[in-house]
Amino acid sequence: MSAEERYVRVSGPRELQEVTESAEERPAPDGVVVDITYCGVCGTDVHGYTDGHMLPPAVFGHEWTGVISAVGGEVTGLSVGQRVVGGVGPACGRCRQCAAGHARQCELVFAEANGVDEAAPAHGGFGAQVRVSARRVIPVPEGVTDVEAALVEPATVTFHAVRRTAMELGSVVVVQGAGPIGLLAAQHARNAGAGRVLVSEPSAARRSTAEKLGFRDVVAPEELAALLTEITDGLGADVLFECTGVPSLLQPSAELVRRGGTLSLLGYPMAESSVSYADWQTRELTVIGSLAYNHEDFVGTLRAIAGKRLDVTTLHTGTIGLSDLGSMLEELDSGRSSHTKVLVDPRK
């Protein structure tokens, strides 16, 4: 293991601190040390950077993959040299949710998904190494590339959302927003048996990416209502996945859903949203909120990637080094970036 550890963390609003310090010699007894190969840049990272205080430090850089370089004495089933992704462990079986029979809402898993890990340092995957609990690393199957592994986490967020939505086979689905989350949600919806998937996105570059992924009903937002009316004879979508997180779009999104249909919320708004409660009630909408994931979602996502049923590589549009992270966060925050998904390689 290297004698020095290099990483980047948020030190204030729009301020990054690049740190080089002595590396821990050993992992925690129930933990591992992972040498980072890639870490994806997420919209949550952008918000954490611009706000400076929104996230615990360990969440900054949570889409990582790497190779285990050290294993704690209490750890079984993992070995040095093994490729892994960062995720969450199985339901604990002991918390209040688990004890009440709600294992999918395990409190320990939810805490891990939000960066709480006693074995982790005060930084996430934007660094050369990361120390985490062994239960939080998931082996990467043979045949899954390092780039694919780096995109497992966002693909798992969307796997979880589509699974929670439990749409019927043959559904007419609208995906609003063709950023990484929207493009992944659209693919999962297709895999789950959607009859037709409409993708709405203002960016021409992102619409082009959606088309490369095999989607044919890809339109600018101002064209969506007319196309949906034509396809459904004015009925509306069976399911709409809202993937932008833009507060002002919440009610207009709901109005695209047919009476008795489902509005599934993936985008995370950073401000209050105004909706028509009466409209939602009158039309008997089912509203699904989705945040993060479970251990089984990671397993299912890795199987989908390994089985070539999910294309994540097409989303990868650039790789940068740690020193370029600040400028990339600024670019992504500007809204003018042409990137879909950027990876950070700490070895550069």
Side-chain angles (χ1 to χ4, degrees), residues 90-104:
C92 72
R94 300 183 301 276
C95 69
R96 292 175 301 168
Q97 291 274 21
C98 285
H102 311 306
R104 287 189 177 180

Side-chain angles (χ1 to χ4, degrees), residues 85-162:
V85 296
V88 295
C92 72
R94 300 183 301 276
C95 69
R96 292 175 301 168
Q97 291 274 21
C98 285
H102 311 306
R104 287 189 177 180
Q105 300 298 329
C106 171
E107 292 172 351
L108 175 59
V109 170
F110 188 71
E112 290 173 339
N114 286 279
V116 179
D117 183 347
E118 293 181 357
H123 68 89
F126 292 135
Q129 293 179 336
V130 67
R131 300 173 76 235
V132 295
S133 298
R135 58 174 272 116
R136 285 194 52 220
V137 299
I138 302 169
V140 176
E142 291 295 328
V144 173
T145 68
D146 288 338
V147 167
E148 289 174 326
L151 292 164
V152 165
E153 196 274 353
T156 301
V157 169
T158 49
F159 183 99
H160 179 78
V162 172

Side-chain angles (χ1 to χ4, degrees), residues 19 22 27 58 60 87 103 128 140 150 176 182 188 191 260 262 269 299 305 314 344 347:
V19 180
S22 297
F60 187 64
V140 176
Q176 187 159 265
H188 286 308
N191 288 344
T262 299
V299 175
I305 294 173
T314 297
V344 175
R347 301 161 296 183

Side-chain angles (χ1 to χ4, degrees), residues 34-39 63-67 84-86 140 146 149-150:
V34 178
D35 293 345
I36 300 296
T37 305
Y38 294 119
C39 184
E63 300 180 358
W64 53 262
T65 185
V67 178
V84 294
V85 296
V140 176
D146 288 338

Side-chain angles (χ1 to χ4, degrees), residues 126-309:
F126 292 135
Q129 293 179 336
V130 67
R131 300 173 76 235
V132 295
S133 298
R135 58 174 272 116
R136 285 194 52 220
V137 299
I138 302 169
V140 176
E142 291 295 328
V144 173
T145 68
D146 288 338
V147 167
E148 289 174 326
L151 292 164
V152 165
E153 196 274 353
T156 301
V157 169
T158 49
F159 183 99
H160 179 78
V162 172
R163 188 166 71 117
R164 275 184 53 77
T165 302
M167 65 186 187
E168 295 183 1
L169 294 175
S171 293
V172 175
V173 172
V174 170
V175 175
Q176 187 159 265
I181 294 299
L183 293 170
L184 291 165
Q187 292 186 75
H188 286 308
R190 182 168 60 190
N191 288 344
R196 198 154 177 179
V197 179
L198 288 68
V199 179
S200 172
E201 167 59 46
S203 164
R206 289 183 168 183
R207 291 198 300 270
S208 177
T209 302
E211 291 169 350
K212 289 177 183 176
L213 291 170
F215 295 100
R216 296 292 171 260
D217 297 314
V218 181
V219 294
E222 60 271 19
E223 301 170 337
L224 175 60
L227 178 60
L228 183 61
T229 296
E230 176 187 340
I231 290 172
T232 66
D233 195 24
L235 197 60
D238 296 310
V239 178
L240 186 144
F241 291 101
E242 206 304 296
C243 302
T244 69
V246 177
S248 61
L249 292 180
L250 192 52
Q251 180 59 32
S253 299
E255 293 170 2
L256 294 170
V257 179
R258 67 168 173 81
R259 181 166 58 85
T262 299
L263 174 64
S264 186
L265 305 176
L266 283 80
Y268 196 86
M270 303 305 295
E272 294 295 319
S273 305
S274 296
V275 301
S276 172
Y277 183 96
D279 170 62
W280 293 20
Q281 183 174 9
T282 300
R283 295 192 296 117
E284 295 190 331
L285 296 187
T286 296
V287 181
I288 302 292
S290 184
L291 181 71
Y293 29 60
N294 309 116
H295 181 79
E296 54 267 36
D297 296 319
F298 275 91
V299 175
T301 299
L302 278 163
R303 287 173 178 164
I305 294 173
K308 307 304 179 186
R309 298 188 305 279

